[in-house]
Amino acid sequence: MSLQATDPSSVENILDEQVAVSDGLVFLSGLTAADPGTGIPAEATMSTEFPYYGSEIQKQTTHLLEKAARLLGTRGIGLQDVVKTQVFIADCRLFDAFDQVWKRFFPVPPPRSTVGVGADRLPVPGALVSVDIIAALPDVVEVRPLDSPRLPKPLANYTACVGAGDWLFLAGQLPTDFGATGLAPNAQVSSHFPHHVSPIIAQANYTIGICNTLLEDAGGDWDHVVRVQVFLKDLDDAPVFERLWQERFDGTPPPCTIIGVDELLTGGALIEIDVIAVRSGTPQYRRTIGNGSAPVVGERLSLSGAAKTTFVLADLDIDVVEHPGDRRHAVETAVREALAHAAAQAGPSARAIKVHAFLPNNEDVFPFGRALLDSQTQPVAVTTSPNIGASAHLALEIVLQTDS
């Protein structure tokens, strides 16, 4: 009898800053001001000797965007080639200071979604903001801004939509027309008839309409949407939204996952919708919604993509009944099976190059990391973000690359 090698006690290397490329799209690991192995460095923190010079959110934002520029530089591109960003900020009151730094780094702003996740909810202690980035290789795909003339100009620093080859990346949309009332009038509940309108349905319908306008003006449609992320301020609204989503489409609705957040950037907003699509008529476009022939218990899986790149949405119910008192085992099992099922559905040559995990608890990072590291033979770009208000629901966005 021999002693077997021990399981890893740390999954810190999922924080390694990876760059993955598929079909001219460049996927970065989610970035915070923390550096692998060292945490948040001194240059990203406030000086005790000069505590009133600058702000911590601006120092952290500067540090992480400088890292992003260096990582993109390894592929011969820069921040000017970014086509999509998602920002997870600890407190929306920090947004204005954050945005001042953002404008310096992005004179031509990419599409962006920004949500508040609450204090201490980012899995790296002390981190105030996390940014997820997709860029494009301009010598492989044509990159072009695609603002809609039918929509008002946003207040913040972002482009409403960017095309990268056949891909369409929309900014996250809120139920606002950026007018004096914050929420658009058609997204509000009338004070004269407050019990005759559902706030979440009114806001969701308005926001879906904005996305529809952007898709139409960019040359897309809902049949060619690759994935939708819906950020809800209150996950109790999720069943209502899910029914609405099913009812709004004639046939099978686009693949969608719902994520809980702490706050949104428009006062009174309950919802933000983030869409990635391809142009109508894109060659090799494909979509599979459902669990296929070998479903994982508690898993809802959808695959959509074009050419060699596939986006997978996996919504996982963490079965703590089957594993009482052992949430870690339940999370690890669910993630491992979802990764295997996604790859099997996409084809024998499919491999994960990017995984974005929306985790209910920071403690879920460890079992998620164990499942990921154990099931992948090559490095994967990883982003971990909170799923506020969820307890037994874990969502994954997996980007797969295939050889054909």
Side-chain angles (χ1 to χ4, degrees), residues 65 110 270:
L65 289 178
L270 302 174

Side-chain angles (χ1 to χ4, degrees), residues 47 82-83 91 119 164 180 182 188 241 255 271 278 291 310 335 354 361 377 393:
S47 166
V82 171
V83 297
D91 188 334
Q188 296 185 38
F241 176 83
I271 186 170
V278 294
N291 288 326
T310 300
V335 171
K354 171 69 184 286
N361 302 318
T377 59
H393 175 75

Side-chain angles (χ1 to χ4, degrees), residues 365-381:
V365 171
F366 178 71
F368 159 74
R370 279 174 56 98
L372 181 68
L373 295 174
D374 186 55
S375 61
Q376 306 302 309
T377 59
Q378 300 182 48
V380 176

Side-chain angles (χ1 to χ4, degrees), residues 299-316:
E299 175 192 280
R300 293 166 299 282
L301 196 72
S302 64
L303 296 83
S304 301
K308 298 180 180 180
T309 306
T310 300
F311 281 75
V312 180
L313 294 183
D315 289 309
L316 312 179

Side-chain angles (χ1 to χ4, degrees), residues 323-401:
H323 310 285
D326 193 353
R327 180 182 176 86
R328 286 184 175 178
H329 179 70
V331 170
E332 184 176 346
T333 299
V335 171
R336 190 189 309 274
E337 292 179 343
L339 289 166
H341 186 206
Q345 288 287 95
S349 67
R351 68 178 184 90
I353 60 171
K354 171 69 184 286
V355 178
H356 191 158
F358 294 90
L359 305 174
N361 302 318
N362 284 341
E363 293 78 10
D364 295 333
V365 171
F366 178 71
F368 159 74
R370 279 174 56 98
L372 181 68
L373 295 174
D374 186 55
S375 61
Q376 306 302 309
T377 59
Q378 300 182 48
V380 176
V382 176
T383 302
T384 56
S385 301
N387 191 358
I388 307 301
S391 59
H393 175 75
L394 188 155
L396 301 178
E397 179 182 286
I398 307 164
V399 181
L400 297 172
Q401 185 182 61

Side-chain angles (χ1 to χ4, degrees), residues 116-118 121 232-235 259-262 359-360 386-390:
V117 296
R121 289 308 307 265
L232 293 182
K233 190 175 177 181
D234 186 349
L235 280 183
I259 309 299
V261 298
D262 180 69
L359 305 174
N387 191 358
I388 307 301

Side-chain angles (χ1 to χ4, degrees), residues 80-119:
Q80 71 276 5
D81 300 303
V82 171
V83 297
K84 175 68 179 174
T85 60
Q86 290 185 317
V87 176
F88 303 88
I89 195 166
D91 188 334
C92 283
R93 290 173 294 185
L94 300 172
F95 173 75
D96 186 62
F98 159 86
D99 201 40
Q100 293 174 30
V101 176
W102 192 266
K103 291 175 183 177
R104 295 205 308 268
F105 281 84
F106 291 107
V108 179
R112 181 178 67 189
S113 299
T114 304
V115 299
V117 296

